[in-house]
Amino acid sequence: MSIETDIKQKKFRSAYQRLALNLIYTSNWLEYKQLEFFKEYDITSQQYNVLRILRGQQLNPIKVSDITERMLDKNSNTSRLVDKLLAKNLAKRSSCPNDRRAVDVLITEEGLKLLEELDPHVDEWENRFNVISIEEADQINAMLDKLREADH
Amino acid sequence: MSIETDIKQKKFRSAYQRLALNLIYTSNWLEYKQLEFFKEYDITSQQYNVLRILRGQQLNPIKVSDITERMLDKNSNTSRLVDKLLAKNLAKRSSCPNDRRAVDVLITEEGLKLLEELDPHVDEWENRFNVISIEEADQINAMLDKLREADH
DNA sequence: ATACATTTAATGTTATAACATCTATTCATA
DNA sequence: TATGAATAGATGTTATAACATTAAATGTAT
């Protein structure tokens, strides 16, 4: 369904205005879909994101501030996000030996198991993107990067 | 800056996964920019969105449920959003004559003035999108619509 | 006309986001 | 090495999002 129909707006001032609204609308849609999806596994997409980052570290511990750097939402309160994972035994914390201000975070066996359980479903979930070709996806990616580039 | 650099991820499983992350990341970036922008005028982008919808009504009153339909975030609590506008004298409420359950919302003179003050700045703000061509913007728009189409 | 379902908006509650502040540690430099 | 700035993370506060419930009005079917 076109963004025009979705938000019942017949015309836009420009293709750029439509794009801005469409980006936010589509991202909201995507986040809502993810919310629904992850709800079954009792985690949020943010928590999943952190788990993926932790697994990506190849089991090396990673500092809280490094997690933040890798997150989609840089303003997110990583400290409290890690708390949630800790409470669910999906991650563990230990103080960092070379910098006593920092805190090392590591994924647990249970966290790894959850990700492994999720992997096939996430793959399947991403199949919805197949309606556009890889070339098209690459194209959008490049243009989105370009958009943010103009940030000065 | 590429999404790879922004979230410090060297490789993605697929162009689709990169697209999903890029969409959410770019939308977060956009929403943050809007937040910063509207902060000067002491409104949120959601409140601005509602004001635009109200003005779009050509001064005809519109029901709360109709506002919700036109919003980017369909889950938003429109009732309380309208409360905020009311408190700032940017909108007014009156009960709907033909359906006493419904509530008519109308933009005030003050609301219209605020929008008029904002208009040129919003236009200027949207200029950042000029880094891509209108054709490119249309292309992304079409592909985003197509993405959501696959929602079943 | 009555009973029951549906619609509309408001409100209550809980979780999270946004933002500021605080404490401990480390860094820089005089 | 003593001092102030900078950094890391935790925590407090306020606003908003997410979700459920409620109350009033309307629609529907018998």
Side-chain angles (χ1 to χ4, degrees):
Chain A
M1 194 149 56
S2 75
I3 181 76
E4 276 88 348
T5 317
D6 281 336
I7 66 172
K8 301 195 168 36
Q9 186 164 336
K10 288 189 206 77
K11 46 189 282 199
F12 297 92
R13 286 196 306 288
S14 67
Y16 300 123
Q17 194 218 359
R18 183 167 59 226
L19 178 55
L21 294 179
N22 209 345
L23 269 175
I24 291 173
Y25 185 76
T26 305
S27 167
N28 284 346
W29 165 82
L30 197 57
E31 286 183 343
Y32 181 73
K33 288 285 148 192
Q34 290 187 338
L35 185 79
E36 269 188 322
F37 174 81
F38 287 119
K39 196 180 279 175
E40 285 185 58
Y41 303 94
D42 197 32
I43 56 170
T44 65
S45 62
Q46 294 250 58
Q47 289 167 15
Y48 174 75
N49 194 214
V50 173
L51 282 180
R52 290 295 302 254
I53 290 167
L54 293 178
R55 181 168 69 174
Q57 284 310 104
Q58 311 281 8
L59 305 193
N60 293 320
I62 176 176
K63 289 197 297 169
V64 172
S65 55
D66 294 333
I67 297 177
T68 307
E69 274 197 329
R70 284 170 175 74
M71 287 190 56
L72 296 176
D73 183 355
K74 309 291 190 203
N75 300 314
S76 133
N77 203 327
T78 314
S79 201
R80 281 192 256 235
L81 256 177
V82 171
D83 281 349
K84 297 279 157 54
L85 295 177
L86 224 83
K88 292 174 192 163
N89 273 313
L90 301 173
K92 54 190 167 197
R93 249 195 303 233
S94 62
S95 64
C96 178
N98 29 331
D99 186 344
R100 286 193 299 156
R101 287 169 304 183
V103 168
D104 276 338
V105 183
L106 202 60
I107 192 167
T108 61
E109 269 305 316
E110 210 172 324
L112 283 172
K113 259 184 212 142
L114 176 63
L115 284 187
E116 277 161 34
E117 185 193 344
L118 276 164
D119 281 341
H121 299 106
V122 170
D123 287 349
E124 191 192 355
W125 191 88
E126 268 169 19
N127 281 346
R128 68 172 65 225
F129 282 81
N130 290 349
V131 290
I132 62 175
S133 71
I134 289 181
E135 289 72 27
E136 286 174 324
D138 283 338
Q139 247 180 302
I140 309 184
N141 270 314
M143 289 193 263
L144 291 179
D145 290 350
K146 208 155 127 191
L147 267 188
R148 295 195 315 277
E149 195 92 6
D151 191 10
H152 43 238
Chain B
M1 194 149 54
S2 75
I3 181 77
E4 276 87 347
T5 317
D6 280 336
I7 67 171
K8 300 193 167 40
Q9 185 164 335
K10 288 189 206 78
K11 45 189 283 200
F12 297 93
R13 287 195 306 287
S14 68
Y16 300 123
Q17 195 218 358
R18 182 166 61 225
L19 178 55
L21 294 179
N22 209 345
L23 268 175
I24 290 172
Y25 184 76
T26 305
S27 167
N28 284 345
W29 165 84
L30 198 57
E31 286 184 341
Y32 181 73
K33 289 285 149 191
Q34 291 188 336
L35 184 79
E36 269 188 323
F37 175 81
F38 288 119
K39 197 181 279 175
E40 286 186 57
Y41 303 94
D42 197 33
I43 55 169
T44 64
S45 63
Q46 294 250 58
Q47 289 167 17
Y48 174 76
N49 193 215
V50 173
L51 282 180
R52 290 295 302 255
I53 290 167
L54 293 179
R55 180 169 68 175
Q57 284 311 105
Q58 311 282 8
L59 305 191
N60 293 319
I62 178 176
K63 289 196 299 168
V64 172
S65 56
D66 293 334
I67 298 176
T68 308
E69 274 197 330
R70 284 169 175 73
M71 288 192 54
L72 296 175
D73 184 355
K74 309 290 190 203
N75 300 313
S76 133
N77 201 328
T78 313
S79 200
R80 280 191 258 235
L81 256 177
V82 171
D83 281 348
K84 297 280 156 54
L85 295 177
L86 225 81
K88 292 174 192 164
N89 271 315
L90 301 173
K92 54 190 168 200
R93 248 196 302 234
S94 63
S95 64
C96 179
N98 30 331
D99 185 343
R100 287 194 299 157
R101 287 168 304 182
V103 168
D104 275 340
V105 183
L106 202 59
I107 192 166
T108 62
E109 270 304 316
E110 209 173 323
L112 282 172
K113 260 186 209 139
L114 176 61
L115 284 188
E116 276 162 33
E117 185 193 344
L118 276 164
D119 281 341
H121 299 106
V122 169
D123 286 349
E124 193 191 354
W125 191 88
E126 267 170 20
N127 281 346
R128 70 171 64 224
F129 281 81
N130 290 348
V131 290
I132 62 174
S133 71
I134 289 181
E135 289 72 28
E136 284 174 324
D138 283 339
Q139 247 181 301
I140 309 184
N141 270 314
M143 289 194 262
L144 291 179
D145 290 350
K146 208 155 127 191
L147 266 187
R148 295 195 314 278
E149 195 91 5
D151 191 9
H152 43 239

